[in-house]
Amino acid sequence: MPYRARVLKVISANAVEVLDLDNGSIKTVPADKLYGANGFIRNLPVYPMKVKIRDLDPTAVKNPELIIEQLQDLRSAKRLLKQLFESKSYMYDGVKLIDLNMNRSLGALLLENHDKKLNEAAEAERKKAEAEKLKREQEEEAARQAKAEAERKKREQETEIERVKAEQERMEAEKRKLAEEQAKAAAAAAAAVTPTKLTYNDLKLVKLPAGTPNVKLSILDDSDVGRGIITVCVFDEENAAHYDKLDTTVNKIAATIGGDGYDPEVDELCVAIYDADKRWYRALCLTPPDGAGAFMVQFVDYGNVATVKRAAIRAMTPELNFSCTAHTCKLKDLESAKGKLGQQQQQQGYVVAAEIAMDGDVYLLKF
């Protein structure tokens, strides 16, 4: 509906700010909605006026929007106001308006409603804050209880897992114990049937008199003298008697060992046939079998090394594990020793070691 207005400000080419002359409100309207007023409309009196409310202290107004809202309510209710002039030289400098319905000052009503609204808003904020606080506390308590319940269930699960784990470990331990007992029983049963394997450490070696000078020695093997290695034993009557019956003893016992061959392990003692004379001798396995199934062995009573096929090998028996007096030794001052060895052996049938020392587990001979 058209209304009378006065242009206050041109905002843009398409918008204008105007004052509604009959209602007193300021509005922004499109420029194309402005129409010129004819003389009759321009000459109609304008009744609305702006006044300053004298008893409304601006410093007491904390929220102007509440004052405006109350004035709008009074306007909508068409409340009638009475203007009191209080002997001012200019009556619009400040007027006191009385609400005729309540016969009370408009300023007092506005401030009272203003303060009431502020208090209501503050109370609403307080209740809202309390409600939010209570909600947070309830949520925190619910979260705490949920966490406590989760931790309790977790502890129960961990306890159950530990219990199951302990039970499994106990059962596994019992199984291992039973398996160990069965293995021991099987080993004992096998040991009762299968002879225990003898190794080089089981060989009953008779030591050379290390530290004694000028010891007579018999050379049993000098095939590796070029590298300074020979096999010897003490040259005396006891060893002479030992070697006199050694061949007969070994071959007699070896003839009683059954089987069509044997696969010795490295460092295991056995008996093997020396191919040159087809006789049995005590031996030590030095290598695993080659592609032809043959083993390299050392004949422990003589020191020489040979390659022997599986069929010519038997397991060592306890009866064959008697004393051994042969030792494979290293030569000190090799070139000097080689000349003396040949000369002494040829002239005396034995050699004389000026010094016998230990080089780790090996004897070191000086001539």
Side-chain angles (χ1 to χ4, degrees):
M1 178 182 292
Y3 52 85
R4 294 190 300 169
R6 179 166 62 89
V7 176
L8 298 177
K9 182 172 60 176
V10 176
I11 298 174
S12 66
N14 299 318
V16 179
E17 186 180 89
V18 300
L19 170 66
D20 187 334
L21 296 176
D22 296 303
N23 290 298
S25 59
I26 296 175
K27 303 175 182 180
T28 299
V29 297
D32 60 358
K33 296 297 182 182
L34 296 179
Y35 305 98
N38 56 31
F40 174 76
I41 293 176
R42 285 197 302 269
N43 292 331
L44 289 175
V46 177
Y47 294 101
M49 65 185 69
K50 287 185 178 182
V51 297
K52 179 179 179 181
I53 301 175
R54 180 180 297 172
D55 58 344
L56 181 61
D57 182 7
T59 62
V61 179
K62 298 179 179 179
N63 188 346
E65 293 182 358
L66 295 177
I67 300 295
I68 296 173
E69 180 182 341
Q70 180 67 4
L71 288 172
Q72 292 290 353
D73 290 344
L74 291 173
R75 178 186 175 190
S76 299
K78 297 183 179 180
R79 300 282 284 276
L80 298 178
L81 302 175
K82 178 181 178 182
Q83 178 178 311
L84 295 182
F85 301 99
E86 297 183 351
S87 302
K88 288 289 182 179
S89 59
Y90 178 53
M91 67 178 181
Y92 300 123
D93 179 52
V95 299
K96 185 174 182 180
L97 300 177
I98 302 299
D99 187 333
L100 295 181
N101 289 353
M102 302 181 65
N103 199 29
R104 292 186 63 192
S105 165
L106 176 62
L109 288 174
L110 292 175
L111 285 177
E112 181 180 299
N113 179 74
H114 171 269
D115 294 342
K116 179 182 177 183
K117 293 291 186 181
L118 286 180
N119 291 335
E120 289 176 351
E123 180 66 13
E125 285 297 321
R126 185 187 67 79
K127 290 182 177 180
K128 179 181 178 182
E130 288 181 352
E132 290 178 349
K133 180 181 178 182
L134 179 60
K135 181 180 179 182
R136 285 195 304 271
E137 291 175 349
Q138 291 174 340
E139 290 176 348
E140 290 173 357
E141 177 63 18
R144 186 191 65 78
Q145 293 180 358
K147 182 179 179 181
E149 179 65 15
E151 289 177 349
R152 183 189 65 79
K153 289 183 177 179
K154 182 180 179 181
R155 286 193 299 270
E156 288 181 352
Q157 291 175 349
E158 290 175 347
T159 301
E160 179 63 15
I161 290 172
E162 288 297 323
R163 186 194 66 78
V164 172
K165 182 179 178 181
E167 179 64 18
Q168 290 176 342
E169 289 177 350
R170 184 189 65 79
M171 295 175 65
E172 289 296 326
E174 289 182 353
K175 288 181 180 179
R176 286 195 299 269
K177 182 179 179 181
L178 179 60
E180 289 173 359
E181 291 175 350
Q182 291 174 342
K184 288 180 180 179
V193 177
T194 305
T196 303
K197 292 182 179 181
L198 300 174
T199 66
Y200 180 77
N201 292 330
D202 297 314
L203 191 61
K204 297 176 181 179
L205 285 170
V206 178
K207 295 181 180 180
L208 292 178
T212 302
N214 301 320
V215 178
K216 294 179 180 180
L217 301 174
S218 293
I219 298 178
L220 301 172
D221 179 66
D222 61 358
S223 59
D224 207 10
V225 70
R227 295 197 306 125
I229 299 173
I230 62 173
T231 302
V232 299
C233 69
V234 175
F235 180 80
D236 58 16
E237 293 182 359
E238 184 178 353
N239 264 343
H242 170 74
Y243 275 91
D244 281 344
K245 60 182 180 180
L246 178 62
D247 178 74
T248 302
T249 303
V250 171
N251 280 269
K252 182 178 179 181
I253 297 174
T256 65
I257 303 174
D260 56 357
Y262 183 68
D263 294 293
E265 297 178 358
V266 175
D267 205 35
E268 181 183 351
L269 292 173
C270 58
V271 286
I273 294 177
Y274 183 46
D275 191 57
D277 60 10
K278 309 300 182 183
R279 303 289 290 173
W280 291 98
Y281 296 92
R282 297 192 299 175
L284 176 70
C285 180
L286 301 178
T287 64
D290 59 18
F295 298 80
M296 181 176 289
V297 300
Q298 182 182 31
F299 297 103
V300 296
D301 294 302
Y302 298 93
N304 55 317
V305 175
T307 300
V308 184
K309 293 183 179 180
R310 178 185 181 279
I313 301 175
R314 298 290 185 272
M316 174 75 87
T317 64
E319 293 85 358
L320 287 169
N321 190 23
F322 43 77
S323 60
C324 176
T325 61
H327 292 275
T328 298
C329 309
K330 290 182 179 179
L331 295 177
K332 190 175 182 181
D333 300 330
L334 177 57
E335 294 304 322
S336 174
K338 285 166 63 176
K340 292 178 181 179
L341 286 176
Q343 184 180 5
Q344 291 180 12
Q345 184 70 29
Q346 184 177 4
Q347 294 177 355
Q348 306 168 167
Y350 60 85
V351 294
V352 178
E355 177 186 325
I356 301 177
M358 294 298 299
D359 183 13
D361 294 334
V362 179
Y363 288 101
L364 184 61
L365 305 181
K366 180 177 181 180
F367 293 92

